[in-house]
Structure formats: C-alpha cells, structure tokens
Amino acid sequence: MAYTVPKLKDFSPSTLNHAEEDLLAAFKQEAEDVRRLAQDPTTDLLGKRTAFKQFRDHWMARANGLLAQANENWLKAAPPKEKGGAGRTVNKIRALLKVGVDDLERHVNFCATASPETLAKVGASQALNLTEPQQRIAGQIDISLPGIHRAIGAAHPIIRTQNEIVAVFKNLGYSVAEGPVIETDYYNFEALNFPPNHPARDTQDTLFLANQESKPRREQLLLRTHTSPVQIRTMEKLTPPLRLVIPGKVHRNDPPDASHSPMFHQVEGLAVDTNITFGDLKGTLDHAMKSLFGSDVKTSFRPSFFPFTEPSAEMFVSCFICGGSGKRGNDNAPCRPCKQSGWIEILGCGMVDPNVFEFVKHNGYDPEKISGFAFGMGVDRIAMLKYGLDDLQLFFQGDVRFLEQFA
Ligand code: DAH
C-alpha cells in the first residue's frame, strides 16, 4: 500500500522514532524501485528521467511532497513543549532524503547515458550489495562498495576529427591560429579579393547581421562563411615566413539536411615564404591526406576558381571506402561516398593571389618577393567519411546514444 504521512496522536520520542522509521523505509523502497528501473536496459532515457522526477516530486515537492507533509503533521502540529524533538526528527529526515535524492539522481543520470554492457555490470554488482544511499540512511558506510560512477565526457567526433587534422600540420611545424565567427565584410570578402558585387560572393550564401545598413560596407557584420578571413587577420599581425592552420566554425544560409548544415567547421591552412611553389602545396597536402586516410590514398588536383588564390584547385583523394574502384563488396554494389567515381573531393586550395598580399603589403608581404599557398577543408564532411555516416545531422542532435559510441 502506498505510504502516507500519519497524523500523530502524541509526540513522544518513541512515537517520533517509529514514524521516522516507517517514512525512511518507504523512501528506501521507492528509491530502490527507481534505481532498478534506471538499470533496466529496456527503459529509455526519457522513462528513466521521468521516473526520477516523479520520485523527487513525490517526496520533496514544496507544496505537498511527503517531506512537506511530515513538516506539517509532525512539527507544526506538535505542542510547544514537544517542538524540539519533532524538529530534530524532521531535520534529520530532511537531510537523509536530500542525500538519498541526490545520490539517486546521479545514479539515474549515469544509467541514462550508460551502455547496456555497463548497465549489466552495475546491476550485477548491486544485486549483491545494499546501495550506497541505503547504507548512508542506515547510518553506516560500507567502504568495500564500488563508488558511484560519473560518466566522463568525450571529445565530440567533429572536434576529434578537427584535432586530428590540426595535429598532422602541427607535426609539419605549423602553428594554430583562430579568429572571430562574427566577421566584417572586409575580412570575409573584400581583403580576400571578392570585390563588392562580385558574383563569387553569391556562392557563399552569407548570413548577415541585421541593422548594419548605416555602416560602410566593409564594416558591416556577418557570420563568417569560411575560415579564410583569418589568413588576412594573421598576416596583419605576423610577418612572413608563416605556416598556419586555422580551425573554426563557419555559417551559411543552407537549410539542414543529410549533407548540409547552416553551421559547420573548416580547417584553413596558409604557408607564406620566399619561393613557395605549387609543388610545395601538392607535397604538403598529399602527405596530410596520407596521414589522415592511410598511406594508400592517392591525391589528384583539378583546376578550380577561388578569388583569393591563383591558380586555384580542388583536391580529390582516391576513395578509401572502395579503394578507388567505385564498387563495393562481392556483389559490386555502387560506392555511395564517391558516387562511383573512385574519387572524393576533399578541399579547395591554391597559390595566394598577389591581390590578397596587396592588402597586407605594409607588413612584409610584397608579392614581388614572397609567395604562398592556402587551402581550406570541411571538417564535418571528413568526419562523416571517416566514421562512415550518411547523415550529417547526427553530429548536431546531441543524442547521447550516438555520441557515446565515440567515447
Ligand atoms: N574558403 C573556401 C571555401 O570555404 C575554401 C578554400 C579554398 C580555402 C581555397 C582556401 C583556398 O584557403 O586556398 O569555399
């Protein structure tokens, strides 16, 4: 039968003691039920959290939780000379319930995100032992019990991929730079040789901040559409020679679907020195791709256009899913990631356009004396390829069942 907080006929120590014992026994029983449910791999995350919240409200709700009722029936109802004893009882109960509820919450949170294997282990170890809150409520602590597990976070697969890319270039002696996500028109476009009204701006699906019309165009704010503006920002601060990678978030006005997201990630690269050639670009990027995808991959460069590089290229890697054949498995199924072509487009690159150096010429970047290459790659796409995903949105939904697989 469900427990109710009794009204007391007298407030003697023994009556209060009995009342306390009954209440704590009911609390332990109910906590144990929620604990079992949390450990049940067939109950979903929402079910576990809902059960915990109902339990907490049942006992702790300010308005009419069982603790509040004990306060009413036992403390407030006690005659003045027995208030002391009743107060001590209610205070003790309050402290014990708080500990019990907090412990249970940690346990439920842990179980809600734990794998079925971990849950099976937790269940087995606790079938033999009293649980820790019960021990504490009973006034003893069994130090031989396992501690409470706290789920440790793990790097998000996109950040992990970003770190891997950055590490490859760090090993080549590159430094890491970052820049703002809210950027001016000047850095995102103008200084990268996108003149005002140039059609190349259309390819960037830019999200502009509202109410910027009164400012001169170059000061107007937008969400950066690529990490390339940090090329200019760092060249303004640092003199050549330069070897940089620039990871970061970028935004474009693309509705989310399996291969698009209005927010995604890029890693930009920039190398400037005397006598940097297209051969350096090819060698560096070929090495980077072999480090990232395995020493078997081949690279291929095809002519392209970016306003800030000349010449520009797109780099492809041979498909590491099908080995470049365009077909998969024994039944020769078409390879989807490379669209059966055997090649996957991985980044844009090129030799820094002399017009870009003109914007930072005062800081040692005289296009007559120095040259450089640049590249930019999409981290999210690379992460999808590496982990074999077909839906980009999985990265952004925050579902622990997906994310914990990378822990
Ligand atoms: N910023 C380009 C984009 O987002 C990618 C890119 C292409 C970056 C060529 C570069 C580059 O540095 O040289 O589409």
Side-chain angles (χ1 to χ4, degrees):
M1 216 190 58
Y3 172 80
T4 51
V5 179
K7 294 209 159 82
L8 302 182
K9 295 203 184 69
D10 69 84
F11 295 84
S12 68
S14 81
T15 306
L16 284 166
N17 241 339
H18 269 120
E20 175 191 322
E21 271 174 19
D22 288 350
L23 181 144
L24 291 178
F27 178 80
K28 276 197 276 184
Q29 184 57 53
E30 216 178 292
E32 188 52 28
D33 292 345
V34 177
R35 174 177 290 272
R36 287 237 174 76
L37 185 105
Q39 283 162 211
D40 180 352
T42 61
T43 310
D44 68 7
L45 189 140
L46 192 66
K48 292 175 187 190
R49 296 223 163 109
T50 308
F52 170 75
K53 283 195 189 119
Q54 277 170 358
F55 166 80
R56 187 179 55 194
D57 288 349
H58 185 210
W59 287 91
M60 309 305 271
R62 257 166 220 266
N64 206 22
L66 294 177
L67 178 61
Q69 288 178 34
N71 198 49
E72 281 298 312
N73 292 357
W74 303 352
L75 176 59
K76 288 209 178 142
K81 59 181 184 350
E82 274 153 332
K83 280 242 193 278
R88 274 191 293 282
T89 301
V90 172
N91 283 345
K92 182 174 163 201
I93 291 171
R94 178 178 295 115
L96 289 170
L97 296 199
K98 258 176 100 59
V99 172
V101 168
D102 286 353
D103 280 339
L104 188 63
E105 180 169 31
R106 275 197 290 275
H107 185 74
V108 170
N109 283 343
F110 167 68
C111 289
T113 56
S115 65
E117 296 75 43
T118 312
L119 285 181
K121 276 189 228 147
V122 173
S125 69
Q126 291 189 348
L128 303 172
N129 293 308
L130 277 176
T131 57
E132 202 210 6
Q134 285 174 313
Q135 293 285 337
R136 281 209 222 159
I137 284 167
Q140 331 157 351
I141 293 177
D142 179 349
I143 57 166
S144 69
L145 284 173
I148 297 172
H149 288 271
R150 309 243 151 108
I152 303 173
H156 189 279
I158 288 183
I159 298 302
R160 188 195 275 207
T161 306
Q162 180 175 293
N163 290 343
E164 280 173 29
I165 298 169
V166 167
V168 168
F169 289 95
K170 272 192 176 171
N171 286 338
L172 291 173
Y174 281 58
S175 311
V176 182
E178 286 181 304
V181 174
I182 297 177
E183 192 47 286
T184 59
D185 187 281
Y186 177 76
Y187 288 110
N188 198 77
F189 289 125
E190 191 178 332
L192 288 167
N193 199 31
F194 290 79
N197 305 320
H198 191 281
R201 287 180 175 228
D202 287 351
T203 63
Q204 301 269 321
D205 299 311
T206 312
L207 291 160
F208 293 91
L209 273 71
N211 306 324
Q212 302 284 305
E213 296 77 12
S214 59
K215 292 184 186 168
R217 154 100 72 167
R218 53 168 51 187
E219 288 169 29
Q220 291 180 11
L221 296 174
L222 46 83
L223 296 181
R224 70 175 178 194
T225 59
H226 49 180
T227 40
S228 306
V230 193
Q231 291 188 27
I232 305 291
R233 287 186 172 273
T234 41
M235 286 194 285
E236 284 179 344
K237 291 203 199 85
L238 306 172
T239 53
L242 212 61
R243 306 273 189 283
L244 281 178
V245 269
I246 303 152
K249 263 190 196 9
V250 303
H251 292 79
R252 291 193 195 178
N253 184 16
D254 279 327
D257 66 22
S259 55
H260 293 87
S261 163
M263 186 282 296
F264 56 103
H265 302 78
Q266 290 188 336
V267 173
E268 187 85 12
L270 177 66
V272 183
D273 208 332
T274 47
N275 295 321
I276 295 249
T277 67
F278 201 86
D280 296 318
L281 176 154
K282 288 180 79 173
T284 304
L285 291 180
D286 186 72
H287 166 84
M289 294 306 123
K290 288 184 162 65
S291 306
L292 284 173
F293 299 115
S295 52
D296 291 344
V297 300
K298 298 189 179 62
T299 50
S300 155
F301 292 78
R302 307 188 189 168
S304 184
F305 172 79
F306 300 102
F308 40 94
T309 43
E310 181 60 33
S312 304
E314 268 151 15
M315 191 182 71
F316 290 71
V317 296
S318 57
C319 181
F320 40 84
I321 317 276
C322 66
S325 67
K327 303 256 186 294
R328 292 173 77 174
N330 293 336
D331 52 353
N332 276 343
C335 181
R336 277 216 288 164
C338 67
K339 301 192 192 98
Q340 303 180 61
S341 71
W343 293 95
I344 295 179
E345 186 190 331
I346 220 85
L347 55 76
C349 58
M351 301 305 291
V352 178
D353 193 303
N355 288 346
V356 171
F357 285 138
E358 288 293 337
F359 287 93
V360 284
K361 196 170 178 176
H362 55 278
N363 202 26
Y365 294 88
D366 181 346
E368 298 292 326
K369 298 193 180 124
I370 48 111
S371 57
F373 67 75
F375 57 87
M377 61 186 104
V379 178
D380 315 62
R381 222 173 84 79
I382 294 177
M384 278 177 82
L385 291 167
K386 271 183 89 86
Y387 295 116
L389 303 182
D390 53 13
D391 185 358
L392 176 63
Q393 296 307 317
L394 285 168
F395 285 137
F396 307 123
Q397 285 160 346
D399 187 330
V400 283
R401 290 168 300 183
F402 170 72
L403 294 173
E404 73 182 356
Q405 297 175 50
F406 301 89

